[in-house]
Amino acid sequence: MQRIAVDMDDVIADPLSKHLEIFNTRYNENISVNDLQSTYLTEVRPHLREEIMNILNEPGFFGDLRVMEGSQEVLKELSQHYEVFIVTAAMEMPTSFTSKYEWLKEHFGFLDQRNFVFCGDKSIVDADYLIDDNPKHFRRFKGKGILFTSPYNGAETDYVRVNNWNEIRHYFLK
Amino acid sequence: MQRIAVDMDDVIADPLSKHLEIFNTRYNENISVNDLQSTYLTEVRPHLREEIMNILNEPGFFGDLRVMEGSQEVLKELSQHYEVFIVTAAMEMPTSFTSKYEWLKEHFGFLDQRNFVFCGDKSIVDADYLIDDNPKHFRRFKGKGILFTSPYNGAETDYVRVNNWNEIRHYFLK
């Protein structure tokens, strides 16, 4: 059985919209996802860089994120035909461990928790495919990298791109 | 550069002696590591199985474990010649995430935290070697499994065995 590794943030979970909501409320701004094409919030508001990053470290930030549309249904289906692992670079945000684990149990409890991986450098992952929004993780990955579209990665052309979970379904189950 | 994945519990950290100390104090027993050759505490005291397992889930259990003798010095040396990852089946004990992370930062802070991996099924690990006391993790691992001696695994003969960190040093740097 082939194995698919799936990133968490901005692929099955949606931290970006929550991040923007908190930022906009706190700093009386009105920045939308559309304002972040090929860039980051920290580049749009560089003088607030530290404050922007600190939002992600607030307790529980990762605990109530929205589920990316279609990800549950498609992963349920894919897990009939592939071994599915969820692989998140949680070491970058050690305060997120428990929230991320509880979120996965709540929304993706149909997967075996032994298939959850909290790591940093994803080149440690032995899988046939890695679905991720951050192309840096593909550079040393031995399988095939599949880029999940996120506002900031729009200019990246080196990898197969999927724009949503319906396209992932089609790619793997066509 | 070849890559070595190293298990945490009973390889670089020593939960067993702390587990026995707590158990002996709490139940007025005097069981030693020598009493656990090729067996487990839960098999020696089956009527206390649940209580024995619960000790591991107590907050902070993994936060102040002793470091296995020689592991720091040898890993410092190995990391000059190999990529070293620490890989622990933390998903089996989700209450341990933060304690394990902080313990690693304290005692193995010379390793990049991006090389820490909390997982369940270690077949996800892409490495040339896996040093582990639990042979179950070698069965689907594609690299070479190296069995670190622990009381309960004494009868296992299917893998290269190392008895201590000096033997690991010799194996990799001979």
Side-chain angles (χ1 to χ4, degrees):
Chain A
M1 206 182 242
Q2 283 196 304
R3 180 179 285 172
I4 306 174
V6 181
D7 176 36
M8 198 166 164
D9 295 330
D10 299 311
V11 175
I12 63 170
D14 178 16
L16 181 56
S17 66
K18 180 174 173 185
H19 200 180
L20 281 176
E21 279 165 26
I22 293 175
F23 177 81
N24 285 331
T25 303
R26 201 168 289 178
Y27 298 100
N28 201 22
E29 295 253 26
N30 194 22
I31 295 172
S32 76
V33 170
N34 285 331
D35 299 322
L36 299 179
Q37 299 307 311
S38 297
T39 189
Y40 297 92
L41 183 54
T42 48
E43 290 183 8
V44 176
R45 292 292 180 272
H47 63 290
L48 291 169
R49 187 187 159 74
E50 200 177 328
E51 290 84 350
I52 288 167
M53 294 310 292
N54 283 345
I55 293 173
L56 301 172
N57 282 313
E58 290 173 10
F61 177 85
F62 289 91
D64 62 352
L65 302 183
R66 277 195 288 271
V67 177
M68 295 290 270
E69 193 181 340
S71 59
Q72 289 164 310
E73 297 77 3
V74 174
L75 277 182
K76 250 180 220 166
E77 208 175 340
L78 286 185
S79 63
Q80 305 299 313
H81 306 275
Y82 296 86
E83 270 196 290
V84 173
F85 281 70
I86 305 296
V87 177
T88 177
M91 292 302 148
E92 294 170 1
M93 223 100 53
T95 52
S96 71
F97 295 145
T98 303
S99 295
K100 284 192 162 201
Y101 173 79
E102 288 171 356
W103 189 92
L104 284 171
K105 292 297 280 184
E106 181 180 350
H107 299 291
F108 291 84
F110 55 88
L111 297 173
D112 191 320
Q113 71 178 18
R114 285 174 296 193
N115 289 17
F116 300 162
V117 183
F118 293 176
C119 63
D121 175 355
K122 293 190 189 175
S123 76
I124 193 67
V125 170
D126 182 12
D128 301 287
Y129 302 92
L130 171 60
I131 304 171
D132 209 298
D133 63 300
N134 191 335
K136 81 175 180 187
H137 293 300
F138 300 148
R139 299 211 176 106
R140 299 203 305 152
F141 175 65
K142 287 186 196 147
K144 187 174 180 65
I146 296 182
L147 187 69
F148 194 91
T149 295
S150 216
Y152 77 88
N153 73 23
E156 181 66 57
T157 56
D158 286 350
Y159 305 97
V160 170
R161 176 185 290 275
V162 288
N163 292 299
N164 54 55
W165 275 91
N166 200 34
E167 290 188 18
I168 292 174
R169 186 185 180 287
H170 185 74
Y171 183 88
F172 286 102
L173 299 173
K174 59 180 172 272
Chain B
M1 205 181 243
Q2 283 197 304
R3 179 179 286 173
I4 306 174
V6 181
D7 177 35
M8 198 166 163
D9 295 330
D10 300 312
V11 175
I12 63 170
D14 179 15
L16 181 57
S17 65
K18 180 174 174 186
H19 200 180
L20 280 176
E21 279 165 27
I22 293 175
F23 177 82
N24 285 331
T25 303
R26 201 168 289 178
Y27 298 100
N28 201 23
E29 295 254 25
N30 195 20
I31 294 172
S32 77
V33 169
N34 286 331
D35 299 321
L36 300 179
Q37 298 307 311
S38 298
T39 189
Y40 297 92
L41 184 54
T42 48
E43 290 182 9
V44 176
R45 292 292 180 272
H47 63 290
L48 290 169
R49 186 185 160 73
E50 199 177 329
E51 290 83 349
I52 289 167
M53 294 310 291
N54 283 345
I55 293 172
L56 301 173
N57 282 313
E58 289 173 11
F61 177 86
F62 289 91
D64 62 351
L65 301 183
R66 278 195 288 272
V67 177
M68 294 290 271
E69 193 181 339
S71 58
Q72 290 164 311
E73 298 77 2
V74 175
L75 277 182
K76 250 180 218 164
E77 208 175 339
L78 287 185
S79 62
Q80 306 298 313
H81 307 276
Y82 296 86
E83 269 195 291
V84 173
F85 281 70
I86 306 295
V87 177
T88 178
M91 292 301 149
E92 295 170 0
M93 223 99 54
T95 52
S96 71
F97 296 144
T98 304
S99 295
K100 284 190 162 201
Y101 174 80
E102 287 172 356
W103 189 92
L104 284 171
K105 291 297 282 184
E106 180 180 349
H107 300 290
F108 292 83
F110 55 89
L111 297 173
D112 191 320
Q113 71 178 18
R114 284 173 297 192
N115 290 16
F116 299 162
V117 182
F118 293 177
C119 63
D121 175 355
K122 292 189 188 175
S123 75
I124 193 67
V125 170
D126 182 13
D128 300 287
Y129 301 92
L130 171 61
I131 304 172
D132 208 299
D133 64 300
N134 192 335
K136 81 174 181 188
H137 292 300
F138 301 150
R139 300 215 172 103
R140 299 203 304 152
F141 175 65
K142 287 185 196 148
K144 187 175 179 65
I146 296 182
L147 187 69
F148 194 91
T149 295
S150 215
Y152 77 88
N153 73 24
E156 181 66 57
T157 56
D158 287 351
Y159 305 97
V160 170
R161 177 184 290 277
V162 288
N163 291 300
N164 54 54
W165 275 91
N166 201 33
E167 290 187 17
I168 292 174
R169 187 186 180 287
H170 185 75
Y171 182 88
F172 286 101
L173 299 173
K174 60 181 170 273

